[in-house]
Amino acid sequence: MAGNSFGTLFRFTTFGESHGPAIGCIVDGVPSRLALDEAFIQGFLDKRKPGQNKYVTQRREPDRVQIKSGTFEGRTTGTPVMLFIENEDQRSKDYGDIKDKFRPGHADYTYQAKYGIRDYRGGGRSSARETASRVAAGAVARRVLETVPGGPVTIRAAMVQMGPHKIDRSRWDWAEVDRNPFFCPDADTAAAWADYLDVVRKAGSSVGAVIEVVASGVPAGWGEPLYDKLDSDLACAMMSINAVKGVEIGAGFDAACLTGEENADQMRAGPDGKPVFLSNNAGGILGGISTGQDIIVRFAVKPTSSILTPRQTVDLEGQETEVLTRGRHDPCVGIRAVPVGEAMMAVVLADHFLRARALGQ
Amino acid sequence: MAGNSFGTLFRFTTFGESHGPAIGCIVDGVPSRLALDEAFIQGFLDKRKPGQNKYVTQRREPDRVQIKSGTFEGRTTGTPVMLFIENEDQRSKDYGDIKDKFRPGHADYTYQAKYGIRDYRGGGRSSARETASRVAAGAVARRVLETVPGGPVTIRAAMVQMGPHKIDRSRWDWAEVDRNPFFCPDADTAAAWADYLDVVRKAGSSVGAVIEVVASGVPAGWGEPLYDKLDSDLACAMMSINAVKGVEIGAGFDAACLTGEENADQMRAGPDGKPVFLSNNAGGILGGISTGQDIIVRFAVKPTSSILTPRQTVDLEGQETEVLTRGRHDPCVGIRAVPVGEAMMAVVLADHFLRARALGQ
Amino acid sequence: MAGNSFGTLFRFTTFGESHGPAIGCIVDGVPSRLALDEAFIQGFLDKRKPGQNKYVTQRREPDRVQIKSGTFEGRTTGTPVMLFIENEDQRSKDYGDIKDKFRPGHADYTYQAKYGIRDYRGGGRSSARETASRVAAGAVARRVLETVPGGPVTIRAAMVQMGPHKIDRSRWDWAEVDRNPFFCPDADTAAAWADYLDVVRKAGSSVGAVIEVVASGVPAGWGEPLYDKLDSDLACAMMSINAVKGVEIGAGFDAACLTGEENADQMRAGPDGKPVFLSNNAGGILGGISTGQDIIVRFAVKPTSSILTPRQTVDLEGQETEVLTRGRHDPCVGIRAVPVGEAMMAVVLADHFLRARALGQ
Amino acid sequence: MAGNSFGTLFRFTTFGESHGPAIGCIVDGVPSRLALDEAFIQGFLDKRKPGQNKYVTQRREPDRVQIKSGTFEGRTTGTPVMLFIENEDQRSKDYGDIKDKFRPGHADYTYQAKYGIRDYRGGGRSSARETASRVAAGAVARRVLETVPGGPVTIRAAMVQMGPHKIDRSRWDWAEVDRNPFFCPDADTAAAWADYLDVVRKAGSSVGAVIEVVASGVPAGWGEPLYDKLDSDLACAMMSINAVKGVEIGAGFDAACLTGEENADQMRAGPDGKPVFLSNNAGGILGGISTGQDIIVRFAVKPTSSILTPRQTVDLEGQETEVLTRGRHDPCVGIRAVPVGEAMMAVVLADHFLRARALGQ
């Protein structure tokens, strides 16, 4: 209700500020007897970890997760799984400049307007640091999805656009995603992005990105018909990630340009009695409910507003001034959003798996 | 939980199928002592009503709303407002063709996969007819928004793209929106759309659209920081509307192409001590919380899948066949989505108004 | 959130005032393909119906339920079930006396304090008339419970105390419950209550009661461990019924007087590998979770405050005055609470059945 | 949803097992700018702390609370307050006896039936140790209640019955409550209880208790009318405390024995335009909404089932056996329930304060 929980049956609640002692989450609604240990979760956190290459923020955080409750002898017990990550790189620093000035494009002004008080150290609660908790919760969700009958459900994500530069979809290769620092599924584009982002980084500037998340193996029939539609929940989930400004499913905004003949995915009889679709403009969701095809979601990430060029703003007293964000920054914050998008997909699907099961579906 | 409610504090729950006896909703969380009668709500329903011109479905529904509870002597009492709309145009008809065949692009197959049973008459629960309930609930939400201190909050929507044809934003005139059947804010474009849609309609085809919803007068500080962000909730709300496949806030997907310098909206001192923003790429929302600028949301509507060209599909038995949707249809279902988008914006804002007030904000 | 919904996965939302045009509810979370028609629901409403004998209010309401959505060809479709009951006995009457005066023991003053406006006709929203919606929703819940593996789950209730007069539990006979107007399981006590209540009724007075609700056939393992405990939810459910002031499970308040040796229900090996308990002080619930024994809940109903003796009160202006409730009244409103208690038990159990199933339990 | 959260607007979610590394909670919905530090919360935890005298369990837990997020420079920021308590007294011990045997009266069997796995060390999640988290959350709720206009709201609790021995209400003195180890408001009774409980303790037995919680200063108009009634929520809250088997409001079960004339609390004009009630059988709640009188709730706690007498039971294999709970135990677990009852009252009231404020009440 106050905006720190996500999900209904499978549900996590996060806590923590960028420069407080710790961040983490409580994951509730976890079925019992699933194998779960810290190493499994750590693997996903490591993908998102800052400081791994020159293209992401140089904050050095080991992001070591501890399970504080909910497992016994390596298996979940059905009680809440508490995941705890200590903040280690809280480097002593002069926050003077951003303490009193609202950084344009950041949540500084809106937090002040809403709460009348603000933990100005590194963005506080609005920092992208919070997404580590999401990735940890997403790892638990993946364990739940491993139990889907007829599975496995596979969730993967890739960056498909950096700044104005899109990938060439004809060269899409999932194996490439882990071979470059951009989660790019196209090796040639990845090389081009490296050059491009070097220029951006050296200029102290930043660029946006588009991420695509794909879930395969989701059975037909997940989702609710009107207000908890699978696509509504995914839109909510992805838009909740820091810096995201747009979400689309399947053909998305391009669907506006299609005719009914072009858009509707025709069906043929499949080998197992289930229909085979001749296209996937629906992104695997019709009427809010999964069709059995791949679920395809894309989201747009704006460029981070922490840049080295001074910007016009006002301060706490309403006086006009300029502000400039020194120190560590992310030339393309969309990179770290890739594993976060995967995690949010996992959580939404785990939730709808439980919901469908509740109704005997 | 089962997908028929929307909102947290201000919350509505809808019921009804396309060809059942009635549709409607219960609106809960309505503050007491607001003026509310059927005529006020009817005004909004009339905007959405089918059968008003040749560009929308010819189903003839008066959509006459009745208030069954929650008001006394013309004012709300704080108890649930029940809004009831009888279905009158349930014309006797042979549903034989769609009874057993899954129409591509419709929810026929997914409902069958999920529920194992399906009210095939006119789309049943997945019909756009359900959106009348949303418009009715949205009217109540507007009454709530009239009580915002420092208001009024104004909510307007327009169609900004039909098929591939976008409006010319330099000619935007809100007054035009009520003068053409497309809610188009640009008279010249509206004329061109009329010709275009005539061709589409006569061909028995359909096209998609993009709608823009704008809320003015929203104070800074509404929204929650992470998972009930104002933009998350708007994304969820708009994606829940039938046939919507994409949602964006402010610069939206174009933000991916911007640099940090271009994207972050700079601030100057305003006359009343509040900042004035030099641009609105954020669409009025930073960190999930309103900035005081206009809230701007766009959503893409796919073309309706009810078209006169036979399409390949399968039937209940899994046999391959063709299907063709005869009778009344909507060449651009996006038209009727305009008042629905307004209604969903009103509901989301009314909800966050109450939530902010709960926390003393 | 605003107090008109109950349940989480199986959930109903009610609307309607005592003297408005209609009352009813939307039941959501109903699994598909259950047999459901109006006659089935009507059977339960008829048990609760006023005007059936001299011991209950003489308001003449047929309470005829109509299903407005959610079923197709006699089976549920998985979409919301809307149950609609028109108010027919809205007899024209002078409400002058209670329009401005707060009746002691009623919610008149608190509604006025909360909402600043009040539908004073017959209690408005706070009238026991609302419980008809609960009984209707409870009937749907029973259909859900029919699908419990290893069932059937049986829910029955009886009045076990009227005023100070308790039943003799050694003569408990469930068959008696339907043979007297008090739902009393002991024929001798029923006869004594008839004489007693005649005196009360003729004096224009009223008395309280205690109701016991028993669910048999509930498998072990339903309920959640801490805050959605089966007993917490039952306490919430029963306390939400009009005029209820106390709830207890199993030994209840008497458990305070027991020693640990007396209280803890010992176990022996049962025929099917499940334990057999040697007593049931726990009322079938340990740690919030069902044991497989009978679930036993009792609740106390206060005497209705509509009596023929003038009482001291104040009016809307704060002036001291007296008030007396003329016309139809209930000498023991607890009688009509019996089927309501059954309905609430059914709803709580249906909800927890779905919740357990969601988690694969 | 999975039973580890309580509250709607003001809401806490707990985690942790008796013998895991830590317990604690995330408190969400906390208004910003409230003074809050660890010392304030610690004061309430110290009241509940085990090991303080011979009448409570001898587990030695400092229960030192750490605030991990949600405050900045001693004030709340509006972000989630994370409260963390390390378990220190996890003494190495042989759990052999209870590892495989179900202790009668405990949740051993039901957890096994529900989850198929069980952390048998000291009760795991079902241990009363979890209530430390409630007390911590309750302290935060008290801070919220300090901001109620027209306050202060005062919350106090006392034990009013131990085993069969009730206090003498004519000697009620709140000041006594802090002077004896039983939170007893009557010094003479406290002395008698000391002798009585010594006998019980030495016999390795245990007894139940009744606790009364009283909130003063609650304004009229809090609560919701039907399903989130103030009394429903209190019943749910108190019944969720370990070992509670009954809850009553005001006259409670005794109301069943009253006539309408005796029960309804009459009103006279008060000095400030508000009514003065001549009695408080309603326990400060009518129609689910506060009257402005004291809110009075009582709950019954069963005797702990950890006793030194062997009891008949079965084991994991379904074989008949006996079990005996050695080691530290609580002769009257109701004693430690007193501060927990206060905490739950604080949470319910803080929640309804925010809810009323949301609706402009």
Side-chain angles (χ1 to χ4, degrees):
Chain A
M1 183 64 56
N4 298 292
S5 300
F6 187 84
T8 51
L9 286 177
F10 182 90
R11 180 176 178 86
F12 68 91
T13 301
T14 75
F15 71 92
E17 280 80 42
S18 173
H19 286 66
I23 62 168
C25 59
I26 299 177
V27 189
D28 208 357
V30 183
S32 61
R33 288 176 289 177
L34 305 177
L36 188 72
D37 59 19
E38 292 164 354
F40 177 76
I41 302 171
Q42 195 64 49
F44 294 94
L45 281 168
D46 289 348
K47 274 185 72 174
R48 177 206 156 277
K49 200 165 62 177
Q52 302 191 105
N53 59 56
K54 64 185 174 184
Y55 303 110
V56 294
T57 181
Q58 294 307 298
R59 176 168 175 149
R60 300 275 169 198
E61 280 292 356
D63 275 354
R64 195 171 58 84
V65 69
Q66 301 171 54
I67 299 178
K68 293 288 190 190
S69 72
T71 62
F72 185 59
E73 300 176 346
R75 290 191 299 159
T76 58
T77 59
T79 63
V81 175
M82 202 283 184
L83 303 174
F84 191 79
I85 302 168
E86 289 187 9
N87 285 333
E88 304 193 2
D89 184 6
Q90 311 166 45
R91 67 170 71 171
S92 169
K93 154 173 173 184
D94 175 15
Y95 292 98
D97 206 34
I98 63 171
K99 179 179 175 183
D100 299 317
K101 296 177 180 178
F102 301 127
R103 293 168 299 165
H106 279 284
D108 298 350
Y109 170 66
T110 54
Y111 270 59
Q112 187 69 39
K114 183 174 187 66
Y115 298 115
I117 183 175
R118 183 167 63 90
D119 180 349
Y120 48 77
R121 300 168 303 164
R125 181 75 177 144
S126 71
S127 163
R129 177 133 192 76
E130 189 265 354
T131 59
S133 298
R134 303 177 184 228
V135 171
V140 182
R142 284 177 190 262
R143 278 293 194 229
V144 176
L145 291 171
E146 287 174 2
T147 67
V148 173
V153 173
T154 308
I155 296 168
R156 295 179 292 191
M159 186 179 290
V160 296
Q161 182 179 334
M162 178 187 286
H165 307 295
K166 300 186 180 186
I167 61 160
D168 178 345
R169 289 185 161 264
S170 69
R171 290 198 302 254
W172 189 299
D173 177 1
W174 279 112
E176 278 302 319
V177 163
D178 294 326
R179 292 190 195 124
N180 62 72
F182 311 116
F183 302 106
C184 178
D186 159 12
D188 292 1
T189 298
W193 285 355
D195 296 340
Y196 169 69
L197 199 57
D198 255 344
V199 175
V200 169
R201 183 176 61 84
K202 286 171 183 161
S205 184
S206 64
V207 292
V210 177
I211 316 297
E212 183 165 320
V213 190
V214 180
S216 305
V218 174
W222 287 7
E224 298 294 335
L226 286 165
Y227 298 101
D228 300 322
K229 282 176 165 162
L230 194 48
D231 33 3
S232 294
D233 281 6
L234 286 169
C236 183
M238 301 308 168
M239 195 68 93
S240 78
I241 301 172
N242 303 48
V244 172
K245 301 304 285 185
V247 183
E248 59 183 10
I249 309 287
F253 275 87
D254 287 347
C257 304
L258 300 178
T259 64
E261 292 79 5
E262 294 163 336
N263 178 70
D265 304 309
Q266 299 184 90
M267 285 170 267
R268 296 284 77 191
D272 56 354
K274 292 178 188 163
V276 169
F277 291 85
L278 304 185
S279 53
N280 191 8
N281 289 315
I285 304 172
L286 283 172
I289 300 167
S290 60
T291 63
Q293 290 188 280
D294 280 1
I295 310 274
I296 300 173
V297 183
R298 270 181 305 282
F299 59 89
V301 182
K302 72 179 186 185
T304 182
S305 303
S306 295
I307 48 178
L308 294 183
T309 305
R311 308 302 292 158
Q312 292 185 304
T313 192
V314 296
D315 63 19
L316 269 173
E317 307 302 319
Q319 299 303 308
E320 300 194 339
T321 182
E322 288 198 334
V323 70
L324 167 159
T325 313
R326 277 197 191 78
R328 307 169 297 193
H329 85 286
D330 258 328
C332 180
V333 75
I335 297 171
R336 287 198 293 144
V338 176
V340 181
E342 281 186 0
M344 294 306 288
M345 172 70 90
V347 168
V348 169
L349 291 179
D351 194 26
H352 278 282
F353 166 46
L354 300 188
R355 290 164 80 161
R357 191 159 64 175
L359 294 170
Q361 293 159 351
Chain B
M1 185 61 57
N4 298 291
S5 300
F6 187 84
T8 51
L9 286 177
F10 182 91
R11 181 177 177 86
F12 68 92
T13 301
T14 75
F15 70 91
E17 281 79 42
S18 173
H19 286 67
I23 62 167
C25 60
I26 298 176
V27 189
D28 208 357
V30 183
S32 61
R33 288 176 290 178
L34 306 177
L36 188 72
D37 59 19
E38 291 164 354
F40 177 76
I41 302 170
Q42 194 65 48
F44 293 95
L45 281 168
D46 289 348
K47 275 185 72 174
R48 177 206 156 276
K49 200 165 62 179
Q52 300 192 106
N53 59 56
K54 63 185 173 184
Y55 304 110
V56 293
T57 180
Q58 294 307 299
R59 176 168 175 151
R60 300 276 169 197
E61 278 291 356
D63 274 353
R64 194 173 58 84
V65 68
Q66 301 171 54
I67 300 177
K68 293 289 192 190
S69 73
T71 62
F72 186 57
E73 299 176 346
R75 290 191 298 160
T76 58
T77 59
T79 62
V81 175
M82 201 283 184
L83 303 174
F84 192 79
I85 302 169
E86 290 187 5
N87 285 333
E88 303 192 2
D89 184 7
Q90 310 168 44
R91 67 171 70 169
S92 169
K93 153 174 174 186
D94 176 14
Y95 291 98
D97 207 36
I98 63 171
K99 180 177 174 184
D100 298 319
K101 297 177 179 177
F102 300 128
R103 292 168 299 166
H106 279 285
D108 298 352
Y109 170 65
T110 53
Y111 270 59
Q112 187 69 39
K114 183 174 187 66
Y115 298 115
I117 183 176
R118 182 167 62 92
D119 180 349
Y120 48 77
R121 300 167 305 164
R125 182 75 179 145
S126 72
S127 164
R129 176 132 193 76
E130 189 265 354
T131 60
S133 298
R134 302 178 184 228
V135 171
V140 181
R142 284 177 190 263
R143 278 293 194 230
V144 176
L145 291 172
E146 287 174 3
T147 67
V148 173
V153 172
T154 307
I155 296 168
R156 293 179 292 192
M159 186 179 289
V160 297
Q161 181 180 336
M162 178 187 287
H165 307 295
K166 300 187 180 185
I167 60 160
D168 178 346
R169 288 184 162 264
S170 70
R171 290 198 303 256
W172 190 300
D173 177 3
W174 279 112
E176 276 304 318
V177 162
D178 293 327
R179 292 189 195 126
N180 62 71
F182 311 116
F183 303 105
C184 178
D186 160 9
D188 293 0
T189 298
W193 285 357
D195 295 340
Y196 169 69
L197 200 57
D198 254 343
V199 174
V200 169
R201 183 176 60 84
K202 286 172 184 163
S205 183
S206 64
V207 292
V210 176
I211 316 296
E212 183 165 320
V213 190
V214 180
S216 306
V218 174
W222 287 8
E224 298 294 334
L226 286 165
Y227 298 101
D228 301 322
K229 281 176 167 162
L230 193 49
D231 34 2
S232 293
D233 280 7
L234 285 169
C236 184
M238 301 308 166
M239 196 67 94
S240 79
I241 301 173
N242 303 51
V244 172
K245 301 305 285 185
V247 184
E248 59 183 11
I249 309 286
F253 275 87
D254 286 348
C257 303
L258 300 178
T259 63
E261 293 78 5
E262 293 163 336
N263 179 69
D265 304 308
Q266 299 184 87
M267 286 170 268
R268 297 284 78 191
D272 56 354
K274 292 176 188 164
V276 169
F277 292 85
L278 304 184
S279 55
N280 191 8
N281 289 316
I285 304 173
L286 283 172
I289 300 169
S290 60
T291 63
Q293 290 189 281
D294 280 0
I295 311 275
I296 300 173
V297 182
R298 268 180 306 282
F299 59 89
V301 183
K302 72 179 185 185
T304 182
S305 303
S306 295
I307 49 178
L308 294 182
T309 305
R311 309 303 292 161
Q312 293 185 305
T313 191
V314 296
D315 63 19
L316 270 173
E317 306 302 320
Q319 298 302 308
E320 299 195 339
T321 181
E322 288 198 335
V323 69
L324 166 161
T325 314
R326 278 198 190 76
R328 307 171 295 194
H329 85 284
D330 259 327
C332 180
V333 75
I335 297 173
R336 287 198 291 145
V338 177
V340 181
E342 283 186 0
M344 295 306 288
M345 171 71 90
V347 168
V348 169
L349 291 179
D351 194 26
H352 278 282
F353 167 44
L354 300 188
R355 291 164 78 162
R357 191 160 63 176
L359 294 170
Q361 294 160 351
Chain C
M1 185 61 58
N4 298 290
S5 300
F6 188 84
T8 52
L9 286 177
F10 183 89
R11 181 177 178 86
F12 68 91
T13 301
T14 75
F15 70 91
E17 279 81 40
S18 172
H19 286 66
I23 62 168
C25 60
I26 298 177
V27 189
D28 208 357
V30 183
S32 61
R33 288 177 290 177
L34 305 176
L36 189 72
D37 59 19
E38 292 164 355
F40 177 77
I41 302 171
Q42 194 65 49
F44 294 95
L45 280 168
D46 289 348
K47 275 185 73 174
R48 177 207 156 276
K49 201 164 60 178
Q52 301 193 105
N53 58 57
K54 63 185 173 183
Y55 304 110
V56 294
T57 180
Q58 294 307 299
R59 176 169 175 149
R60 300 277 170 196
E61 280 291 356
D63 274 354
R64 194 172 59 83
V65 68
Q66 301 172 54
I67 299 178
K68 293 289 192 190
S69 73
T71 62
F72 186 58
E73 299 177 345
R75 291 190 298 160
T76 59
T77 59
T79 62
V81 175
M82 200 283 183
L83 304 174
F84 192 78
I85 302 169
E86 289 188 7
N87 285 333
E88 303 192 3
D89 185 6
Q90 311 168 45
R91 68 171 70 171
S92 169
K93 153 173 174 185
D94 175 14
Y95 292 97
D97 207 36
I98 63 171
K99 180 178 174 183
D100 299 317
K101 297 177 181 177
F102 301 127
R103 292 168 299 167
H106 280 285
D108 298 351
Y109 170 66
T110 53
Y111 269 60
Q112 187 69 38
K114 183 174 187 65
Y115 298 116
I117 182 175
R118 181 167 63 92
D119 180 349
Y120 48 78
R121 300 167 304 164
R125 182 74 178 146
S126 71
S127 164
R129 177 134 193 74
E130 190 264 354
T131 58
S133 298
R134 301 177 186 229
V135 171
V140 181
R142 285 177 190 263
R143 278 294 194 229
V144 177
L145 291 171
E146 288 175 1
T147 67
V148 173
V153 173
T154 308
I155 296 168
R156 294 179 293 192
M159 186 179 288
V160 297
Q161 181 179 334
M162 180 186 287
H165 307 295
K166 299 186 180 186
I167 61 161
D168 178 345
R169 298 184 83 94
S170 70
R171 290 199 302 254
W172 189 300
D173 177 2
W174 279 112
E176 277 303 319
V177 163
D178 294 326
R179 293 191 195 124
N180 62 71
F182 311 116
F183 302 106
C184 178
D186 160 8
D188 292 0
T189 298
W193 285 357
D195 296 338
Y196 168 67
L197 199 57
D198 254 343
V199 174
V200 169
R201 182 176 60 83
K202 286 172 184 162
S205 185
S206 64
V207 292
V210 177
I211 316 298
E212 183 165 320
V213 190
V214 180
S216 306
V218 175
W222 287 8
E224 298 295 334
L226 285 165
Y227 299 100
D228 301 321
K229 281 176 166 162
L230 194 49
D231 34 3
S232 293
D233 280 6
L234 286 169
C236 184
M238 301 309 168
M239 195 66 94
S240 78
I241 301 173
N242 304 51
V244 172
K245 301 304 286 183
V247 183
E248 59 183 12
I249 308 288
F253 275 86
D254 286 348
C257 303
L258 301 177
T259 63
E261 292 79 5
E262 294 162 336
N263 179 69
D265 304 308
Q266 299 184 89
M267 285 170 269
R268 297 283 78 191
D272 56 354
K274 292 177 188 164
V276 170
F277 292 84
L278 304 184
S279 53
N280 192 7
N281 289 315
I285 304 173
L286 283 173
I289 300 168
S290 58
T291 63
Q293 290 188 281
D294 280 359
I295 311 275
I296 300 173
V297 183
R298 267 180 308 281
F299 59 88
V301 183
K302 72 179 185 185
T304 182
S305 303
S306 295
I307 48 178
L308 294 183
T309 305
R311 307 303 290 159
Q312 292 185 304
T313 192
V314 297
D315 62 19
L316 269 173
E317 307 302 319
Q319 299 302 309
E320 299 193 340
T321 182
E322 289 197 332
V323 68
L324 166 161
T325 313
R326 279 198 189 76
R328 308 170 296 195
H329 85 285
D330 258 327
C332 181
V333 75
I335 298 172
R336 287 198 292 145
V338 176
V340 182
E342 282 186 359
M344 295 306 289
M345 171 71 90
V347 167
V348 169
L349 291 179
D351 194 26
H352 278 282
F353 167 43
L354 300 188
R355 290 164 79 161
R357 189 159 65 177
L359 294 170
Q361 294 160 351
Chain D
M1 184 63 56
N4 298 292
S5 300
F6 188 83
T8 52
L9 286 178
F10 183 91
R11 181 177 178 87
F12 67 92
T13 301
T14 75
F15 70 92
E17 280 81 42
S18 173
H19 286 66
I23 62 167
C25 59
I26 298 176
V27 189
D28 208 357
V30 183
S32 61
R33 288 176 289 177
L34 305 177
L36 188 72
D37 59 19
E38 291 164 354
F40 177 77
I41 302 170
Q42 194 65 48
F44 294 95
L45 281 168
D46 289 348
K47 275 185 73 174
R48 177 205 156 278
K49 201 165 61 178
Q52 302 192 102
N53 58 56
K54 63 185 173 182
Y55 304 110
V56 294
T57 179
Q58 295 308 299
R59 176 169 176 148
R60 300 274 169 200
E61 278 292 354
D63 274 353
R64 194 173 58 83
V65 68
Q66 302 171 54
I67 299 178
K68 294 289 192 191
S69 72
T71 61
F72 186 58
E73 298 175 348
R75 290 190 299 160
T76 59
T77 59
T79 62
V81 175
M82 202 285 184
L83 303 175
F84 192 79
I85 302 168
E86 289 187 7
N87 285 333
E88 304 193 2
D89 184 7
Q90 311 167 46
R91 68 171 70 170
S92 170
K93 155 175 172 183
D94 176 13
Y95 292 98
D97 206 34
I98 63 171
K99 179 178 174 183
D100 298 319
K101 297 178 180 178
F102 302 127
R103 293 168 298 166
H106 280 286
D108 298 352
Y109 170 65
T110 54
Y111 269 60
Q112 187 70 37
K114 182 174 187 66
Y115 298 115
I117 182 176
R118 184 166 61 91
D119 181 347
Y120 48 77
R121 300 167 303 165
R125 182 74 179 145
S126 72
S127 163
R129 176 134 192 75
E130 189 265 353
T131 59
S133 298
R134 302 178 186 228
V135 170
V140 182
R142 285 177 190 262
R143 279 292 194 229
V144 176
L145 291 171
E146 288 175 1
T147 67
V148 173
V153 173
T154 308
I155 296 168
R156 293 179 292 192
M159 186 179 290
V160 297
Q161 182 180 333
M162 179 187 285
H165 307 294
K166 299 187 181 185
I167 60 161
D168 179 345
R169 289 188 160 262
S170 70
R171 291 200 300 255
W172 189 299
D173 177 2
W174 279 112
E176 277 303 320
V177 162
D178 294 327
R179 293 192 195 123
N180 62 72
F182 311 116
F183 303 106
C184 178
D186 159 10
D188 291 0
T189 298
W193 286 356
D195 295 340
Y196 169 68
L197 200 58
D198 255 344
V199 175
V200 169
R201 184 176 60 84
K202 285 171 183 163
S205 183
S206 64
V207 291
V210 177
I211 316 297
E212 182 165 321
V213 189
V214 180
S216 306
V218 175
W222 287 8
E224 298 294 334
L226 287 165
Y227 298 100
D228 300 321
K229 282 176 167 162
L230 193 49
D231 33 3
S232 294
D233 280 8
L234 286 168
C236 183
M238 300 309 167
M239 195 67 94
S240 77
I241 300 171
N242 303 48
V244 172
K245 300 305 285 185
V247 183
E248 60 183 10
I249 309 287
F253 274 87
D254 286 346
C257 303
L258 300 178
T259 64
E261 292 79 6
E262 293 163 336
N263 179 70
D265 303 308
Q266 299 184 90
M267 286 170 265
R268 296 284 77 190
D272 56 354
K274 292 177 188 163
V276 169
F277 292 84
L278 303 185
S279 54
N280 191 8
N281 289 315
I285 304 173
L286 284 172
I289 300 167
S290 60
T291 63
Q293 290 188 280
D294 280 1
I295 311 274
I296 300 173
V297 183
R298 268 180 307 281
F299 60 88
V301 182
K302 71 179 186 185
T304 182
S305 303
S306 296
I307 48 179
L308 294 183
T309 305
R311 308 301 293 159
Q312 293 185 304
T313 192
V314 296
D315 63 18
L316 269 173
E317 307 301 320
Q319 299 302 308
E320 299 193 340
T321 181
E322 288 198 336
V323 70
L324 166 159
T325 313
R326 277 197 191 76
R328 308 169 294 195
H329 86 285
D330 258 327
C332 181
V333 74
I335 297 172
R336 286 199 293 144
V338 176
V340 182
E342 282 186 0
M344 295 306 287
M345 171 71 89
V347 168
V348 169
L349 291 179
D351 194 26
H352 278 282
F353 167 45
L354 300 189
R355 290 164 79 162
R357 190 160 63 176
L359 295 170
Q361 293 160 352

